[in-house]
């Protein structure tokens, strides 16, 4: 079979890169370009084009959420977790960001020849524990082994299926002017936990990943005001900055945040200062940003703070009508700066 590229309408090249660069996997502009110009036109599916954390599919009167995620983090073990917890919690959280109750996971393993079985066993044990803690069943799997030197220990893919309760309508395009922007705690912990291991940085306390399943927190928030939670996103690769920019574009609204209101752990701030990074661009694995109708925001915030995964919750900003698609921050000294979408990820292989 020969391929006829003359009929191919994909508007390549993408930013003049003839080949894939590491930033194409960073969750920023480069990833978005791959999705918009290559994947979405090729598959052309209505559900895919919604660009939610999970696809929402109506089926016989119920709405299913389906999401898939691959995990390539290096190192495999780090303070606060391992690739095993990430592989469960990452997919659980993408389902939770649509308001779904996660039910089932599949797990695909691409293992490099030579990986000690003891390490694979430890990772799988941690995955199983994370699945039990999240209340999801791992119901199907796959194992492939690649030659030594053609992998990096192990890569894991998980696909998740969840059920969206009746009456819950959450989507990246549903943030409205006037909405309050809430976050459930300290930002940047996961990225800096990985980075301090890679760079051998020592701090007064060990910076630990925040990896955690967020669906129970989401359910608690929905209990307070089901119709008032308009949009949710887990700020993983690209950090809070990428998540806010995605919602601003999808909802065609402006987002104004107050930098002084951002919860940042002092050790994380110190690590960022050392490495020349901004915590707003650093990955999280147990955080959500919520866009909540103003009249319900205080009650939702109080409920978040009463939950173990929301004790550090804060109101960090507002949704405004203009300029649509733009995220700005009021700085500590009273100025205003634009928070652009990152191009790639400053820390590759973070999840
Ligand atoms: Mg997500």
């Amino acid at each position: 079979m020969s391929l006829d590229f003359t009929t191919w309408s994909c508007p390549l090249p993408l930013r003049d890169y003839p080949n894939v660069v590491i930033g194409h996997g960073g969750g920023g502009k480069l990833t978005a370009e791959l999705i918009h110009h290559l994947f979405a036109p090729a598959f052309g599916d209505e559900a895919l084009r919604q660009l939610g954390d999970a696809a929402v599919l109506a089926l016989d009167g119920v709405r299913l959420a389906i999401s898939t995620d691959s995990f390539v983090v290096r190192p495999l073990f780090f303070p606060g977790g391992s690739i095993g917890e990430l592989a469960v919690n990452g997919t659980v959280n993408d389902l939770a960001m649509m308001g779904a109750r996660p039910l089932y996971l599949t797990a695909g393993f691409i293992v490099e020849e030579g990986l000690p079985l003891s390490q694979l066993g430890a990772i799988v044990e941690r995955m199983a524990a994370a699945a039990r803690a999240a209340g999801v069943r791992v119901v199907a799997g796959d194992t492939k082994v690649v030659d030594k030197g053609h992998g990096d220990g192990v890569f894991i893919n998980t696909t998740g299926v969840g059920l969206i309760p009746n009456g819950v309508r959450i989507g990246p395009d549903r943030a409205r002017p006037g909405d309050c922007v809430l976050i459930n705690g300290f930002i940047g912990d996961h990225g800096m936990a990985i980075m301090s291991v890679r760079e051998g940085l020592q701090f007064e306390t060990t910076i630990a990943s925040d990896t955690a399943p967020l669906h129970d927190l989401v359910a608690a928030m929905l209990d307070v005001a089901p119709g008032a939670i308009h949009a949710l996103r887990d700020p993983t690769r690209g950090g809070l900055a990428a998540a806010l920019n995605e919602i601003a574009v999808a909802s065609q609204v402006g987002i104004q945040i107050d930098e002084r209101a951002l919860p940042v752990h002092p050790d994380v701030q110190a690590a960022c200062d050392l490495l020349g990074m901004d915590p707003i661009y650093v990955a999280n694995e147990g955080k959500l940003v919520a866009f909540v109708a103003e009249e319900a925001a205080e009650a939702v915030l109080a409920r978040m703070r009463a939950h173990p995964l929301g004790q550090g919750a804060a109101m960090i900003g507002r949704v405004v009508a203009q300029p649509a698609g733009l995220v700005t921050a009021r700085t500590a000294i009273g100025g205003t700066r634009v928070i652009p979408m990152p191009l790639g990820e400053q820390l590759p292989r973070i999840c």
Side-chain angles (χ1 to χ4, degrees):
M1 190 187 97
S2 70
L3 290 173
D4 178 11
F5 287 106
T6 58
T7 61
W8 198 34
S9 66
C10 175
L12 286 172
L14 312 168
R15 261 180 218 280
D16 298 330
Y17 292 113
N19 300 313
V20 172
V21 296
I22 201 91
H24 281 124
K29 278 183 193 162
L30 291 175
T31 305
E33 285 179 1
L34 269 190
I35 294 169
H36 289 289
H37 299 290
L38 199 149
F39 293 123
F43 297 120
D45 192 273
E46 185 55 30
L48 182 66
R49 286 179 187 280
Q50 300 300 311
L51 299 178
D53 285 283
V56 177
L57 301 170
L59 208 72
D60 277 347
V62 298
R63 282 180 306 147
L64 292 180
I66 300 183
S67 188
T68 192
D69 209 336
S70 299
F71 297 85
V72 299
V73 66
R74 181 174 57 82
L76 296 172
F77 296 86
F78 44 82
S82 74
I83 191 171
E85 287 94 339
L86 288 191
V88 170
N89 294 336
T91 295
V92 161
N93 289 346
D94 279 337
L95 298 174
M97 294 308 107
M98 307 311 291
R101 184 163 59 90
L103 296 173
Y104 306 112
L105 289 184
T106 68
F109 296 85
I110 298 168
V111 189
E112 185 188 7
E113 178 186 24
L115 179 75
L117 272 175
S118 58
Q119 270 198 41
L120 184 60
I123 288 165
V124 172
E125 284 295 320
R126 282 163 168 252
M127 267 185 94
R132 280 192 300 273
V136 292
R137 292 166 55 191
V138 179
V139 294
D142 178 53
T143 312
K144 297 285 191 300
V145 178
V146 295
D147 323 52
K148 198 168 183 59
H150 291 257
D152 204 351
V154 60
F155 302 142
I156 303 175
N157 171 275
T158 51
T159 295
V161 177
L163 206 55
I164 302 176
N166 282 332
V168 171
R169 298 241 171 247
I170 296 172
D173 57 348
R174 298 179 73 88
R176 292 288 169 266
D179 282 359
C180 295
V181 184
L182 311 180
I183 191 151
N184 65 316
F186 292 92
I187 59 168
D189 293 11
H190 176 72
M192 282 302 120
I194 301 284
M195 211 54 198
S196 38
V197 177
R198 285 197 204 152
E199 300 292 318
L201 301 179
Q202 302 284 338
F203 298 95
E204 284 194 5
T205 54
T206 304
I207 300 174
S209 169
D210 58 346
T211 178
L214 294 169
H215 60 293
D216 190 61
L217 173 64
V218 172
M221 293 163 67
L222 285 168
D223 263 353
V224 176
I229 318 275
H230 294 157
L232 293 171
R233 182 134 295 193
D234 53 339
T236 54
R237 291 170 304 173
L240 181 60
L244 294 174
N245 273 280
E246 286 165 359
I247 300 293
V249 169
S251 294
Q252 277 305 294
V253 294
I255 299 175
Q256 292 179 348
I257 60 161
D258 182 353
E259 267 187 351
R260 292 161 301 184
L262 292 179
V264 184
H265 192 277
D267 280 349
V268 168
Q269 187 64 59
C272 283
D273 290 344
L274 261 175
L275 297 166
M277 288 175 175
D278 182 338
I280 201 168
Y281 286 99
V282 178
N284 311 273
E285 289 291 338
K287 292 298 168 308
L288 62 80
V289 57
F291 297 79
V292 182
E294 182 179 15
E295 61 274 15
E298 282 297 341
V300 171
L301 183 62
R303 185 64 191 86
M304 289 168 81
R305 286 179 173 155
H307 191 280
L309 294 176
Q311 287 168 3
M315 193 171 302
I316 58 169
R318 287 279 188 165
V319 177
V320 292
Q322 298 291 338
L326 201 68
V327 180
T328 55
R330 185 125 176 105
T331 65
I333 54 165
T336 301
R337 66 168 176 141
V338 172
I339 306 285
M341 183 71 165
L343 192 62
E345 162 64 60
Q346 351 175 51
L347 314 168
R349 306 270 305 270
I350 201 81
C351 61

